[in-house]
């Protein structure tokens, strides 16, 4: 059984979102002090979004501390009001607290720089790396965890993998309403300046009810849960799916693709110099990263190389790196199923204007579900939000909330086509591409792709 080793006194981290983050357990302090966890200070929580929301410079380090703190408040509430009295009663087992807190703190430790774009290009998986960092005997994190008990690292990793036998612990870290989502909504709203990401965290915690199958909420708290679901919807629409932020993701993706293309070319053409990629990044491009090499990657390492690529010999890499560093995003228009067949035509116009469509255009679909009821038939079924009635029976949230019912299973977002902003130049003077620009603009109306009038 994992034992708590208390610090001499409570340590308090001041936090602008949660006010205070409190630590009494030495193992948590030791984990925070590891090199692998400190690396998260150098990785932005919202990646490229700071180019749109200038205050969104917060790190995965601060988010991870926040998830720990919310999980700690969860555990304290459950231990005070719903402690288990006997095995199998479905209430909260206080012996699960340490594994919950460690998993909450470490849930993002495997993220790379500009994580989701990074993963798409280099075929990495941050959850798999998180588990590797926890389980590898070579990491400081593993060495801290194994002091609790020999099997403790495996327990923490299994929470991340969602295979831990106690569903309450898993749901508190990963579900449709969990410590991770609660912190990133509140934190991202605060730093982006988006007031619509707020919800009543303390009320939701007060309404938590454990049962054998996981975590439910008192049905009197349905309005607080409803507010959380709406806040999540608003944050995705206004922040996470912002078209300019998506534009920078496209630019980053294409410049990394171009850099990888040049690197791969160097393998069969000795005239291509691979020194444009730093030694730290070279194993990443070669596709043979060790865990220790992966842990050397952060935003600073990535941005240093991209900055030097502004002076690269390759004109496409040079231009894309300049657009990324100097904040010159691509423009975009909304596309629909009815107009998607026009894309080959306008891509040809973009090619004719001197832009390689492979690197200067993209289709980017951003869709999400604000809330979805459990469906065991889908590939990744979601744990639904359950409300507990007075008699202990459970009902699903959307059956109680007309607002959530209206949002359940409804996908929101849009598909956009990205292209160089030069294509929208009007009345171009002394530009031989002006007729092509004008032809392209016939397909754009109110930032939407349309069939031009004959």
């Amino acid at each position: 059984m994992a034992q708590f080793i208390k610090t001499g006194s409570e340590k308090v981290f001041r936090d602008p979102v949660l006010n205070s983050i409190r630590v009494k357990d030495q193992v948590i302090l030791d984990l925070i002090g590891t090199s692998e966890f400190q690396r998260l200070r150098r990785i932005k929580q919202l990646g490229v979004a700071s180019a749109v929301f200038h205050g969104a410079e917060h790190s995965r380090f601060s988010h991870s501390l926040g998830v720990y703190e919310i999980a700690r408040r969860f555990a304290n509430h459950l231990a005070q009001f719903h402690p288990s009295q006997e095995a199998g009663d479905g209430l909260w087992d206080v012996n699960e607290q340490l594994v919950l807190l460690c998993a909450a703190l470490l849930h993002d430790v495997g993220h790379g720089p500009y994580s989701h774009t990074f993963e798409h290009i280099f075929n990495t998986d941050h959850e798999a790396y998180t588990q590797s960092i926890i389980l590898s005997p070579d990491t400081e994190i593993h060495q801290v965890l194994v002091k609790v008990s020999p099997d403790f690292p495996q327990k923490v990793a299994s929470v991340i993998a969602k295979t831990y036998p106690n569903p309450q612990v898993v749901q508190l870290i990963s579900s449709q309403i969990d410590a991770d989502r609660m912190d990133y909504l509140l934190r991202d709203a605060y730093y982006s300046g988006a007031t619509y990401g707020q919800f009543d965290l303390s009320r939701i915690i007060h309404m938590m009810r454990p049962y054998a199958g996981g975590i439910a909420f008192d049905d009197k708290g349905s309005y607080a849960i409803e507010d959380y679901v709406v806040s999540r919807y608003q944050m995705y629409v206004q922040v996470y799916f912002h078209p300019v932020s998506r534009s920078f993701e496209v630019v980053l993706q294409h410049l990394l693709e171009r850099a990888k293309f040049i690197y791969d070319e160097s393998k069969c053409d000795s005239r291509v110099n691979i020194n444009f990629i730093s030694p730290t990044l070279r194993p990443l491009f070669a596709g043979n990263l060790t865990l220790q090499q992966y842990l050397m990657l952060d935003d600073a390492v990535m941005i240093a190389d991209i900055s030097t690529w502004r002076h690269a010999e390759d004109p496409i890499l040079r231009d894309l790196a300049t657009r990324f560093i100097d904040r010159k995003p691509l423009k975009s228009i909304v596309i629909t199923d009815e107009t998607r067949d026009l894309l080959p035509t306008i891509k040809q116009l973009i090619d004719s204007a001197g832009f390689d469509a492979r690197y200067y255009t993209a289709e980017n679909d951003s869709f999400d579900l604000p809330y979805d009821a459990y469906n065991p038939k889908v590939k990744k079924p979601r744990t639904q939000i359950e409300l507990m009635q007075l008699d202990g029976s459970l009902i699903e949230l959307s059956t109680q909330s007309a607002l959530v019912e209206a949002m359940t299973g409804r996908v929101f977002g849009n598909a956009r086509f990205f292209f160089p902003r030069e294509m929208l130049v009007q009345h171009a003077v002394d530009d031989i591409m002006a007729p092509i620009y004008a032809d392209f603009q016939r397909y754009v109306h109110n930032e939407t792709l349309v069939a031009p009038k004959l």
Side-chain angles (χ1 to χ4, degrees):
M1 182 185 299
Q3 298 296 318
F4 289 88
I5 302 174
K6 300 297 181 182
T7 63
S9 61
E10 181 179 70
K11 307 297 182 182
V12 178
F13 295 79
R14 295 306 303 267
D15 185 77
V17 178
L18 300 174
N19 189 30
S20 295
I21 295 173
R22 301 180 179 278
V23 180
K24 289 186 177 180
D25 307 300
Q26 188 63 47
V27 65
I28 298 296
L29 281 179
D30 290 345
L31 288 171
I32 292 171
T34 62
S35 62
E36 297 90 8
F37 192 80
Q38 290 292 317
R39 166 181 164 271
L40 297 181
R41 291 182 183 272
R42 305 187 297 277
I43 297 178
K44 289 180 184 177
Q45 171 70 11
L46 285 182
V48 299
S50 60
V52 181
F53 304 95
H54 66 270
E57 297 280 349
H58 55 302
S59 68
R60 292 200 177 271
F61 178 92
S62 62
H63 165 61
S64 296
L65 285 181
V67 177
Y68 153 81
E69 173 61 20
I70 292 176
R72 186 190 69 82
R73 295 179 190 182
F74 287 171
N76 283 358
H77 166 78
L78 295 172
Q80 182 176 359
F81 296 103
H82 307 284
S84 178
Q85 303 299 317
E86 58 184 39
D89 62 9
L91 298 178
W92 175 249
D93 182 354
V94 295
N95 293 311
E96 299 283 22
Q97 181 166 342
L98 189 59
V99 71
L100 169 69
L101 298 184
C102 290
L105 184 72
L106 300 176
H107 78 287
D108 267 357
V109 76
H111 268 286
Y114 302 107
S115 183
H116 299 296
T117 303
F118 176 91
E119 290 185 2
H120 177 74
I121 301 300
F122 298 107
N123 196 31
T124 59
D125 180 343
H126 71 272
E127 289 191 358
Y129 270 111
T130 295
Q131 294 170 57
S132 294
I133 292 166
I134 292 169
L135 295 174
S136 171
D138 297 327
T139 66
E140 293 178 19
I141 282 177
H142 179 88
Q143 291 162 18
V144 170
L145 294 174
V146 80
K147 290 178 182 177
V148 178
S149 68
D151 64 342
F152 195 63
Q154 181 58 54
K155 288 183 177 181
V156 176
S158 68
V159 177
I160 307 298
K162 305 178 185 64
T163 58
Y164 191 69
N166 186 331
Q168 295 172 355
V169 174
V170 175
Q171 285 188 28
L172 290 172
I173 301 298
S174 181
S175 63
Q176 290 200 74
I177 181 166
D178 57 32
D180 181 21
R181 285 167 173 78
M182 288 185 182
D183 184 80
Y184 76 59
L185 289 175
L186 294 171
R187 194 166 301 277
D188 296 349
Y190 176 88
Y191 283 103
S192 66
T195 57
Y196 31 69
Q198 302 296 322
F199 57 89
D200 193 344
L201 173 63
S202 61
R203 176 67 173 169
I204 291 175
I205 293 175
H206 185 67
M207 292 292 106
M208 295 181 72
R209 302 289 184 267
Y211 72 101
I215 298 293
F217 299 86
D218 191 304
D219 63 356
K220 292 189 288 292
S222 62
Y223 292 113
I225 306 296
E226 178 183 87
D227 190 35
Y228 160 85
V229 173
V230 173
S231 294
R232 183 178 183 274
Y233 164 78
Q234 293 281 14
M235 283 296 289
Y236 270 85
V237 170
Q238 301 293 337
V239 177
Y240 304 134
F241 289 171
H242 194 287
V244 180
S245 181
R246 288 158 62 184
S247 171
F248 278 106
E249 289 178 359
V250 167
V251 173
L252 177 61
Q253 176 181 331
H254 283 342
L255 76 87
L256 291 176
E257 286 173 343
R258 185 63 180 178
K260 191 169 190 317
F261 172 80
I262 297 169
Y263 177 85
D264 291 341
E265 286 283 292
S266 70
K267 296 177 182 177
C268 53
D269 187 346
S270 59
R271 294 172 298 177
V272 178
N273 188 349
I274 66 168
N275 290 331
F276 76 99
I277 297 176
S278 66
T280 304
L281 282 185
R282 223 165 283 164
L284 174 66
F285 281 79
N288 55 5
L289 270 176
T290 65
L291 179 59
Q292 292 305 317
Q293 288 170 331
Y294 180 84
L295 287 168
M296 293 174 66
L297 303 178
D298 55 38
D299 287 3
V301 168
M302 188 70 74
I303 207 70
D305 269 43
I306 294 173
S307 184
T308 64
W309 295 345
R310 291 179 296 171
H311 311 289
E313 295 179 6
D314 180 77
I316 293 177
L317 181 63
R318 183 170 65 241
D319 181 63
L320 291 173
T322 299
R323 290 174 187 262
F324 185 76
I325 294 292
D326 294 344
R327 200 193 180 283
K328 300 188 182 299
L330 300 176
K331 296 294 287 184
S332 66
I333 52 178
V334 175
I335 56 177
T336 64
D337 291 339
E338 290 73 26
T339 59
R340 198 179 293 270
D341 61 348
L342 297 173
L343 291 180
T345 301
I346 62 174
K347 284 183 180 180
Q348 182 58 51
L349 289 171
I350 292 168
D351 266 321
S352 300
F355 298 99
D356 188 332
R358 291 174 298 175
Y359 296 105
Y360 287 91
T361 69
E363 296 175 53
N364 180 279
D365 297 354
S366 290
F367 296 97
D368 194 46
L369 288 166
Y371 176 73
D372 201 18
Y374 176 73
N375 181 359
K377 296 181 180 179
V378 300
K379 184 176 181 180
K380 292 184 177 181
R382 302 189 181 201
T383 54
Q384 62 191 19
I385 299 176
E386 303 273 17
L387 301 178
M388 184 174 288
Q389 300 182 99
L390 283 175
D391 63 0
S393 61
L394 301 174
I395 53 175
E396 190 267 320
L397 174 65
S398 65
T399 65
Q400 287 290 96
S401 166
L403 180 56
V404 174
E405 181 185 21
M407 301 171 72
T408 299
R410 297 200 175 194
V411 176
F412 66 91
N414 58 31
R416 303 187 78 93
F417 176 73
F418 291 82
F419 56 89
R421 62 172 54 239
E422 290 87 341
M423 300 302 297
L424 295 181
V425 171
Q426 297 181 350
H427 312 299
V429 178
D430 298 328
D431 190 332
I432 61 172
M433 299 300 176
I436 298 176
Y437 299 158
D439 195 10
F440 177 89
Q441 290 163 26
R442 294 189 306 117
Y443 291 85
V444 180
H445 181 68
N446 289 338
E447 298 187 351
T448 302
L449 177 61
V450 297
K453 294 180 181 180
L454 300 177

